[in-house]
Amino acid sequence: MTAKPAAAAARATVYGYPRQGRNRELKKAVEGYWKGRVTADALRSTAADLRRANWRQLADAGIDEVPTGDFSYYDHVLDTSVMVGAVPARHRAAVEADALDGYFAMARGTQDVAPLEMTKWFDTNYHYLVPELGPDTVFGADSAKQVAELREALALGLTARPVLVGPVTYLLLAKPAPGVAADFDPLTLLDRLLPVYAEVLADLRAAGAEWVQLDEPALVQDRTPADLNAAARAYRDLGALSDRPRLLVASYFDRLGDALQVLASAPVDGLALDFTERAAANLDDLAAVGGLPGKRLVAGVVNGRNIWINDYQKSLATLATLLGLADRVDVAASCSLLHVPLDAAAEGDIDPQVRRWLAFARQKTAEVVTLAKGLANGTDAISAELAANRADLASRASSALTRDPAVRARTAAITDADGRRSQPYPERAAAQRAHLGLPLLPTTTIGSFPQTDELRVARADLRAGRIDTAGYEERIRDEIREVLSFQEQTGVDVLVHGEPERNDMVQYFAEQLTGYVATQHGWVQSYGTRYVRPPVLAGDISRPEPMTVRWTTYAQAQTSKPVKGMLTGPVTMLAWSFVRDDQPLGDTARQVALALRDEVNDLEAAGTSVIQVDEPALRETLPLRAADHAAYLDWATESFRLSTSGVRPDTQIHTHMCYAEFGDIVQAIDDLDADVISLEAARSHMQVAGELAEHGYPREAGPGVWDIHSPRVPSTQEAAALLRKGLEAIPAERLWVNPDCGLKTRGWTETRASLENLVSAAREVRAGLTADNG
């Protein structure tokens, strides 16, 4: 059947695009600026070149309306804080002295001033900088960045739409500033913030903006009546402005629920909604509220978060249904394409058959354009694209890569007993204390040590054939010995080998497991200049041979102190990969868990007494709606226990989590049944320690006392103060001392100084406890 063309020609658009450039030019320029090798003017020039290249690429692909304002040197939420004048008092002098240096100081901190807290952007692996607000916050408009970037795009002859974080989401993402009462609600500042947004909108209108997009993804979460009333008031007031562009309010990542009625009835000019699988309820809900008569609907039917090709027929059916629900329907990705790599065509090492299943940002842009063309002109206009799409979908569905009968049989045979340790925690703890003989307040690190330029060169030389495997491995052994020697000299109690052989905490394992496909150029921004290459989880997972035993046992042979075995947990292996979407996530997690269980058991058999299975993604993968939490946490915690429950009672199982809000998953942390958990806590001032205590968490914990995402070196006194604060919530016999996260991104100079101060702080506090008890 041939679909009829839309009454009004559908337009193609996106909400944002990868910032880094084809060869991560932005990362190199920003880090060069930090090191004094790149001038501010050169950095700005590189950024402008990248913006122009992105816009031209989008326009050449057929995008009718390009986004502006989505580009950022570090983080778009930090950009919003600058736009509304919400600069913390401790950073104001730096910002006034030099806006660019002050901006980076807010993001990274300085030796004397702490940065803003950083946490996950909803349930993605992107991190944003948390606004700090209080009852005395004074807002002020600074639209210079937004106006300048709009003018750049208009000067190229393009139709451009500025994209801003909406005022309600901005306040809902904020936290009380240090020194402000913990129960302060930033949303009470809405009436103070709206005039600032009004001024920014007027500036953009004067600069030539016809439409402005205001992103309100916080409204897809469970919201209180007060939150919804705030959203209604915000868009009533902004919609009533006389001097404004047309307003497009966007949501993504999930269904809007009750907020849809609020936005549909607001005096705005259009809505941009997510219609991908996890937000499919938006379709029926939109019909139930009577659609958007007289308004524009931007339909996010191309998934902006995964890398699998779109099902054109399914998307066109959704778009056809939407035609009767709005004055005009345009086509978009479901969210910013910031969350996917740039171009699948660059992945020449991937099997061509598999590459046909993949859509990165450039391919998703083409999908949006194709769907808009089909909606506007009928399916006959895209018959060749439809035929190719059907063939690619069929190829994936029938591929032997996606199904391994042996893996499926083993997964089906899992029993409840496989996910339980042989003894309860109190008995295990006694056995571990006797076996390990650790002091009060034991010190450790999270796993990785600095990845030096020499290591990166050695890895590149190996790939290029300039050195052989033997030469490369000798370099790795040298690095392991150096890392161990430093830890022993410093006085760390439980050591790590530093992971010099690993390129990434997920990719390293993915390259050794069946069912995964690695990319060479699939970089995605995690935060600031930290980019990762998520592997593609395309098929059933198994472990052909041990992955970490060799290097861990080598490290243990160099020292009499315990060396941790270091693994990445099943939930994080999924969350930090582009995971298959053709079976339930829980099924895939159990496959990964069984592979890791084999590795854990092999590490123990080789003499490893402490094994850490990191799950930093447990919280970030939590569904945005509370109704969906239980089902997710059930398979997530089960998969962790399945990975770790095959060991003896005297083998100590650690886990680690960082940069997330932990309070609403404390029960799940408990359900993991890990013997020790280390958590990010430095930037949040030990908040998680209190949350664990309030829950009655019964096992050992190490809330971090060193913020490793900042280059500043914490003093012994600072670390000791955080440690004492931790002791207010966690008994000394159950408290560990550690950094917030791994040290891969830090330099050796700051690492040495910071770790020495951390150990000194532990000794100081330990001595005080011993004296008190004596």
Side-chain angles (χ1 to χ4, degrees), residues 384-408:
E385 291 92 334
L386 283 170
N389 181 247
R390 284 192 296 268
D392 291 342
L393 291 170
S395 165
R396 182 183 173 204
S398 62
S399 172
L401 173 66
T402 62
R403 297 182 70 87
D404 183 331
V407 171
R408 291 179 178 256

Side-chain angles (χ1 to χ4, degrees), residues 152 157 178 192 197 250 278 281 297 334 414 458 472 491 568 592 628-629 656-657 698 711 725:
E152 287 176 16
R192 205 180 299 176
Y197 269 81
R278 67 190 303 181
L297 173 64
S334 62
I414 293 171
Y472 172 73
T568 301
V592 177
D628 303 323
H629 288 183
H656 169 68
M657 299 179 192
K725 191 168 185 178

Side-chain angles (χ1 to χ4, degrees), residues 465-697:
R466 291 186 289 269
I467 60 174
D468 59 14
T469 300
Y472 172 73
E473 291 185 349
E474 185 55 40
R475 179 70 188 88
I476 296 299
R477 283 189 286 271
D478 290 343
E479 185 72 17
I480 289 172
R481 289 193 296 269
E482 181 179 348
V483 166
L484 292 170
S485 175
F486 166 65
Q487 292 173 88
E488 289 190 307
Q489 291 171 12
T490 304
V492 177
D493 298 305
V494 175
L495 312 186
V496 298
H497 78 289
E499 305 176 10
E501 79 285 6
R502 304 186 188 184
N503 45 15
D504 176 83
M505 67 180 290
V506 171
Q507 185 180 352
Y508 177 77
F509 295 99
E511 290 174 347
Q512 301 182 74
L513 295 169
T514 64
Y516 270 101
V517 176
T519 70
Q520 294 299 313
H521 308 284
W523 298 103
V524 177
Q525 187 180 20
S526 178
Y527 65 87
T529 61
R530 168 74 168 143
Y531 290 84
V532 295
R533 278 185 299 161
V536 177
L537 199 166
D540 287 345
I541 300 297
S542 63
R543 185 199 70 147
E545 59 186 17
M547 301 179 287
T548 65
V549 174
R550 178 188 174 200
W551 291 117
T552 304
T553 54
Y554 173 78
Q556 186 62 79
Q558 312 304 309
T559 179
S560 60
K561 288 189 172 185
V563 176
K564 284 195 285 190
M566 300 298 306
L567 306 175
T568 301
V571 175
T572 302
M573 288 296 297
L574 267 60
W576 293 0
S577 303
F578 291 114
V579 68
R580 63 190 302 179
D581 60 355
D582 58 348
Q583 69 179 19
L585 282 174
D587 292 354
T588 306
R590 292 180 191 98
Q591 292 181 2
V592 177
L594 288 173
L596 292 173
R597 184 185 181 95
D598 293 341
E599 188 72 13
V600 169
N601 293 347
D602 283 350
L603 281 168
E604 182 187 61
T608 306
S609 298
V610 182
I611 301 172
Q612 182 169 307
V613 181
D614 288 345
E615 281 292 21
L618 182 71
R619 173 59 181 83
E620 78 182 47
T621 314
L622 186 73
L624 298 176
R625 293 280 184 176
D628 303 323
H629 288 183
Y632 159 71
L633 291 172
D634 183 58
W635 65 254
T637 55
E638 177 209 16
S639 65
F640 180 88
R641 294 192 306 272
L642 185 60
S643 301
T644 57
S645 292
V647 296
R648 299 186 310 269
D650 63 351
T651 295
Q652 191 171 72
I653 295 295
H654 288 226
T655 191
H656 169 68
M657 299 179 192
C658 58
Y659 293 96
E661 300 293 333
F662 302 113
D664 50 1
I665 62 161
V666 174
Q667 181 59 57
I669 292 173
D670 199 346
D671 291 342
L672 296 176
D673 197 26
D675 300 306
V676 182
I677 182 168
S678 55
L679 302 119
E680 175 273 328
R683 285 199 187 186
S684 58
H685 311 288
M686 284 285 163
Q687 175 180 323
V688 70
E691 292 167 343
L692 292 174
E694 183 177 349
H695 172 77
Y697 185 74

Side-chain angles (χ1 to χ4, degrees), residues 692-755:
L692 292 174
E694 183 177 349
H695 172 77
Y697 185 74
R699 287 174 286 277
E700 298 174 41
V705 297
W706 165 20
D707 171 21
I708 66 86
H709 288 82
S710 169
R712 64 185 299 273
V713 175
S715 66
T716 296
Q717 293 73 24
E718 181 181 344
L722 282 173
L723 186 51
R724 291 188 180 99
K725 191 168 185 178
L727 282 168
E728 295 173 6
I730 301 171
E733 62 270 16
R734 292 196 282 110
L735 187 65
W736 284 64
V737 186
N738 47 258
D740 274 345
C741 200
L743 308 177
K744 177 180 179 179
T745 60
R746 299 273 52 92
W748 259 109
T749 300
E750 65 208 65
T751 294
R752 290 181 188 277
S754 298
L755 196 54

Side-chain angles (χ1 to χ4, degrees), residues 141-302:
D142 179 358
S143 61
K145 173 186 183 297
Q146 290 72 24
V147 167
E149 292 178 13
L150 170 65
R151 286 175 171 160
E152 287 176 16
L154 295 177
L156 296 175
L158 303 175
T159 301
R161 181 185 71 253
V163 178
L164 310 176
V165 175
V168 179
T169 287
Y170 178 75
L171 293 176
L172 289 171
L173 293 177
K175 275 191 166 185
V180 173
D183 61 355
F184 172 74
D185 181 3
L187 198 57
T188 60
L189 300 175
L190 180 63
D191 290 337
R192 205 180 299 176
L193 181 62
L194 289 177
V196 174
Y197 269 81
E199 187 175 340
V200 171
L201 290 171
D203 290 346
L204 289 169
R205 181 75 184 100
E210 181 180 353
W211 285 86
V212 170
Q213 178 175 320
L214 293 163
D215 284 0
E216 295 287 6
L219 296 181
V220 307
Q221 297 173 299
D222 295 315
R223 302 265 61 112
T224 66
D227 297 340
L228 296 177
N229 287 338
R233 189 168 78 255
Y235 287 100
R236 178 200 67 200
D237 291 358
L238 294 179
L241 296 171
S242 58
D243 183 21
R244 68 165 177 84
R246 285 186 274 186
L247 300 182
L248 178 71
V249 182
S251 72
Y252 37 81
F253 298 149
D254 212 317
R255 60 196 183 276
L256 266 173
D258 293 339
L260 181 55
Q261 176 67 67
V262 172
L263 296 181
S265 59
V268 298
D269 307 282
L271 296 185
L273 303 179
D274 187 342
F275 292 101
T276 58
E277 183 175 356
R278 67 190 303 181
N282 276 338
L283 183 59
D284 290 340
D285 291 349
L286 184 61
V289 301
L292 300 174
K295 295 184 178 181
R296 176 187 185 188
L297 173 64
V298 178
V301 292
V302 172

